[in-house]
Amino acid sequence: MTDDELLRLSFRDLPLSRTRGRVAEHMRRLHRELRARDLRFLPHFWFAEEWFSPDGVPGIALPFYLAHPRLMRLERSLMHQVEGGRSPWLMRILRHEAGHALDTAYGLRRRADFRRVFGSPAEKYPDDYRPRPASRRYVLHLDHWYAQSHPTEDFAETFAVWLSPRARWRRDYAGWPALRKLEYVDALMHEIAARRPVVRTRREVEPVEHSRRTLAEHYRGKADRYLLEDGRYDRSLCRIFSRRPTRRHDSAATCLRAHRPQLERQLVNRARLHPYVVEHVLDVLIHRCSHMQLHLKHDRRRTRRDFLALARRVGLGILKRNRENYAL
């Protein structure tokens, strides 16, 4: 089918198999990893529009596109990246989401020792957070230092590192305050391993099998979540560029367009930003530079450095405002 033909389909028209294909293989692998740690709990899974592990349900919702290679190609075509599209990446996300599901299954967040180690799960998710890349109080697993965003994410990330079969966390985190969290998770998992989960529902939240929503509607809504209001970053742009020309051919927009391929590579590879977010951020910022008729204020090297810092901040802001759409 062409992309246009696929986009006209509703979710309920898609043949999504839970027993065959790469997703089923990776779920079986996750279950093997849990059994290897003598854990009795095994999360169930279903297909939804996005990744999540809902409160009150000890399971994992997987994005529908992972069910079939053709749907993954559509996702890559429209969003420029497939979250979980590579096997190591998929397992990292599954281990993280398994941590949330296990927390739900055993009510771990209600334990006093859990709160002493990770903090209060009742803490509100921040609209924004400033990660500290040099901090050794948190494990490093998913991108953007996600363990720092909330106590429950800190636990899920710590559990994912502990669960990884080839992880050498005692060696890798030796001397880090984060080692105390890993040792706590290790002791906690030994304590609950043989217990039956307290919450055993197999309920599914927002499954796509019966949804009449079309893929076109889904992707329109997904794209809309990345919109930025014009003017939000104008003041920051004016600190980097000038409203008055200083010499010929010094248009900020022209300069940024010329260096766009290098800017995209740096933001994707160094800042580890989603390619779709990078493309959108550059579109918006270059458009604003053109609309405001901005010009270079400093040399090109300093300009590129300052602009990259701003673009990274804008991209991270998008991710943090839309955290529910990312396993990150």
Side-chain angles (χ1 to χ4, degrees):
M1 300 180 74
T2 66
D3 284 0
D4 287 341
E5 289 171 334
L6 274 176
L7 290 170
R8 286 196 290 269
L9 294 179
S10 65
F11 281 112
R12 68 177 187 172
D13 296 326
L14 300 176
L16 307 179
S17 173
R18 304 189 193 188
T19 58
R20 292 177 296 175
R22 65 190 306 272
V23 166
E25 293 172 4
H26 284 76
M27 283 302 299
R28 288 192 288 269
R29 180 176 167 185
L30 175 67
H31 287 177
R32 287 195 299 271
E33 291 180 3
L34 293 167
R35 290 193 187 98
R37 297 293 190 133
D38 298 322
L39 289 169
R40 188 171 182 177
F41 167 70
L42 300 176
H44 65 295
F45 78 99
W46 63 96
F47 290 113
E49 293 190 27
E50 306 288 351
W51 286 99
F52 63 94
S53 181
D55 286 343
V57 178
I60 302 172
L62 283 77
F64 69 94
Y65 54 77
L66 292 177
H68 196 280
R70 181 64 184 90
L71 295 173
M72 291 174 64
R73 290 200 299 274
L74 179 67
E75 176 78 8
R76 187 179 302 280
S77 171
L78 297 176
M79 303 305 296
H80 306 286
Q81 186 161 316
V82 179
E83 191 176 23
R86 301 186 307 277
S87 183
W89 191 7
L90 177 54
M91 289 309 302
R92 285 200 302 272
I93 298 174
L94 285 176
R95 293 181 190 115
H96 173 96
E97 298 297 344
H100 286 306
L102 184 137
D103 173 16
T104 297
Y106 289 94
L108 299 180
R109 65 183 63 190
R110 295 196 294 269
R111 295 174 58 122
D113 54 353
F114 180 102
R115 294 194 294 271
R116 282 196 300 270
V117 173
F118 294 103
S120 173
E123 180 181 311
K124 183 181 178 182
Y125 265 89
D127 293 329
D128 193 5
Y129 73 97
R130 295 183 179 275
R132 300 187 299 278
S135 176
R136 296 189 167 194
R137 297 183 179 277
Y138 304 88
V139 299
L140 302 175
H141 182 62
L142 295 178
D143 289 341
H144 307 302
W145 305 277
Y146 195 49
Q148 300 184 30
S149 66
H150 191 267
T152 57
E153 304 301 344
D154 191 7
F155 169 76
E157 287 287 82
T158 305
F159 174 82
V161 170
W162 173 86
L163 182 63
S164 302
R166 288 180 291 277
R168 301 291 182 267
W169 53 266
R170 293 188 189 276
R171 179 197 65 190
D172 295 343
Y173 290 93
W176 289 40
L179 181 62
R180 173 173 167 259
K181 297 176 180 177
L182 285 159
E183 290 173 339
Y184 168 77
V185 167
D186 186 55
L188 180 61
M189 294 305 109
H190 282 91
E191 176 188 332
I192 69 172
R195 295 182 187 173
R196 292 186 66 191
V198 177
V199 180
R200 295 189 291 274
T201 178
R202 308 293 283 183
R203 186 163 61 91
E204 300 173 2
V205 177
E206 299 178 5
V208 296
E209 277 88 345
H210 306 295
S211 173
R212 295 177 179 270
R213 193 179 192 206
T214 66
L215 271 64
E217 292 169 334
H218 163 75
Y219 282 110
R220 278 198 298 270
K222 195 168 184 177
D224 287 346
R225 290 196 290 262
Y226 298 97
L227 294 177
L228 296 174
E229 299 89 354
D230 279 350
R232 177 181 295 187
Y233 295 99
D234 286 1
R235 184 175 299 177
S236 296
L237 286 170
C238 287
R239 284 197 290 266
I240 300 173
F241 302 104
S242 171
R243 287 183 177 271
R244 291 180 296 182
T246 55
R247 59 181 183 273
R248 292 184 64 189
H249 308 302
D250 65 348
S251 162
T254 300
C255 176
L256 293 173
R257 289 191 189 102
H259 291 90
R260 180 162 181 155
Q262 299 96 306
L263 295 171
E264 288 181 349
R265 285 197 297 272
Q266 287 182 288
L267 289 168
V268 170
N269 297 330
R270 296 185 185 180
R272 306 295 295 276
L273 287 175
H274 191 292
Y276 182 85
V277 175
V278 169
E279 182 170 306
H280 179 71
V281 166
L282 293 181
D283 283 345
V284 170
L285 294 182
I286 292 174
H287 171 75
R288 291 305 295 164
C289 286
S290 177
H291 179 76
M292 297 165 67
Q293 298 183 345
L294 297 180
H295 301 267
L296 298 188
K297 181 188 296 186
H298 307 289
D299 62 81
R300 291 176 183 267
R301 183 175 181 179
R302 176 177 173 181
T303 299
R304 191 162 54 246
R305 182 196 65 199
D306 292 347
F307 181 79
L308 279 170
L310 172 62
R312 179 181 182 276
R313 181 158 59 88
V314 175
L316 287 175
I318 290 174
L319 293 179
K320 293 162 191 171
R321 287 193 300 275
N322 297 281
R323 69 171 65 252
E324 71 276 8
N325 305 315
Y326 284 85
L328 134 147

